[in-house]
Amino acid sequence: MLMLIHAFLQWLDPVLTPLCFLLAWTFVLLLGWTLWASLRDMTERARQMHRIPCTQCQFFTNHYQLKCTVRPSVANTEQAIYCSDFSLPRNSMN
């Protein structure tokens, strides 16, 4: 029985070697592609989040219970990007 398995594996070796080679490189390429796509999506998400103007608004309180006095449900979310109530803080010197 052992001789039969050994003969079968020797017969299959010319097929398995290139197949394993292709499978290994396919895995490496898919891993690289997945990492690239993750980094691309992560940077796009970071750009989107940096567009939120809440921290520079005069109505932003920076308090965890009430972040915004005008629109508390929208504060620090993507809905606040085009907030109609956004107002730059007034300078205390004026």
Side-chain angles (χ1 to χ4, degrees), residues 36-79:
W36 172 255
S38 297
L39 286 172
R40 184 190 63 216
D41 294 343
M42 188 172 55
T43 55
E44 182 61 34
R45 180 76 173 151
R47 281 190 195 127
Q48 183 73 6
M49 295 307 286
H50 282 288
R51 292 179 59 204
I52 298 173
C54 289
T55 57
Q56 295 152 3
C57 182
Q58 81 175 25
F59 303 115
F60 187 70
T61 62
N62 203 20
H63 190 268
Y64 74 95
Q65 290 178 331
L66 181 65
K67 295 186 185 309
C68 178
T69 56
V70 178
R71 295 179 185 249
S73 63
V74 177
N76 286 341
T77 64
E78 291 182 30
Q79 297 171 348

Side-chain angles (χ1 to χ4, degrees), residues 9-40:
L9 287 178
Q10 282 185 341
W11 175 77
L12 202 57
D13 188 43
V15 175
L16 282 181
T17 302
L19 183 65
C20 289
F21 177 79
L22 287 175
L23 286 175
W25 275 106
T26 302
F27 175 75
V28 169
L29 291 175
L30 285 175
L31 180 67
W33 182 39
T34 303
L35 288 173
W36 172 255
S38 297
L39 286 172
R40 184 190 63 216

